[in-house]
Amino acid sequence: MTAETTPASAECPCRSGKSLDACCGPYLAGLPAPTAEALMRSRYSAFATGNIDYLHDTLLPNTRDDFNREEIENWAKNSVWTGVEIRGTEAGQPGDSEGVVEFVARFSMNGKPMTHHETSRFAHQDGRWYYVDGTLGARPRSGPKVGRNDPCPCGSGKKYKKCHGAAA
């Protein structure tokens, strides 16, 4: 499916549950994404719709030298994009200068289901969010590991498994 054949009322490729025109569509059309996560979701949608110019234009300008349009276009067009899962975010909100988004993109290539797990860095410059770079996999843990039966570090007094660990 390409941008030309994706109706605006269709479900957004990022699988937010919203229509394309109510989710990533405005960003793909040029409106600045308000958060690092919104930019990441819209970049996923750009892969799904074949909007290679958007992928180029949302790279931090001083990192565009190694952008391989042909390689990216081949990956985008030869894949069936099936959804993205946001695993976590750090900063990346309006007013922040940096943000981090950990995600898992799902797609299939040649009929084989695949995933791309990345922790991406974003920068906010001149009123826009830009993709800086990413590392494969999850971001290394910065603090000590919390056990399921340990007190939750948020200070609630509950066990971690009954508080912030319930969704993990």
Side-chain angles (χ1 to χ4, degrees):
M1 196 174 342
T2 65
E4 296 80 37
T5 62
T6 305
S9 60
E11 181 181 2
C12 189
C14 81
R15 308 290 178 165
S16 64
K18 300 176 186 175
S19 66
L20 180 61
D21 60 352
C23 190
C24 295
Y27 312 132
L28 295 172
L31 185 70
T35 65
E37 180 180 341
L39 180 64
M40 198 289 313
R41 285 181 172 279
S42 65
R43 284 178 56 82
Y44 176 88
S45 292
F47 273 104
T49 60
N51 191 337
I52 308 308
D53 289 338
Y54 184 80
L55 294 168
H56 175 269
D57 295 346
T58 55
L59 286 173
L60 190 65
N62 66 353
T63 66
R64 293 178 184 164
D65 290 343
D66 63 354
F67 183 78
N68 185 326
R69 182 175 298 276
E70 184 178 333
E71 183 179 296
I72 298 296
E73 190 168 8
N74 283 335
W75 185 24
K77 289 186 176 181
N78 293 312
S79 299
V80 175
W81 300 89
T82 56
V84 65
E85 171 193 352
I86 306 301
R87 293 269 177 101
T89 62
E90 290 180 25
Q93 298 299 310
D96 291 333
S97 60
E98 298 177 340
V100 174
V101 179
E102 179 189 350
F103 68 94
V104 176
R106 291 179 172 52
F107 61 99
S108 62
M109 208 171 206
N110 300 320
K112 181 181 176 190
M114 309 203 53
T115 60
H116 178 83
H117 185 181
E118 182 177 311
T119 300
S120 300
R121 290 186 320 127
F122 297 86
H124 193 260
Q125 293 182 358
D126 302 322
R128 298 186 86 82
W129 281 102
Y130 293 97
Y131 174 84
V132 177
D133 61 19
T135 55
L136 292 179
R139 188 172 207 192
R141 187 185 316 273
S142 60
K145 183 175 180 179
V146 179
R148 289 175 34 82
N149 291 315
D150 292 341
C152 190
C154 76
S156 68
K158 297 179 183 178
K159 289 184 179 183
Y160 179 69
K161 68 182 179 186
K162 296 287 186 177
C163 193
H164 283 86

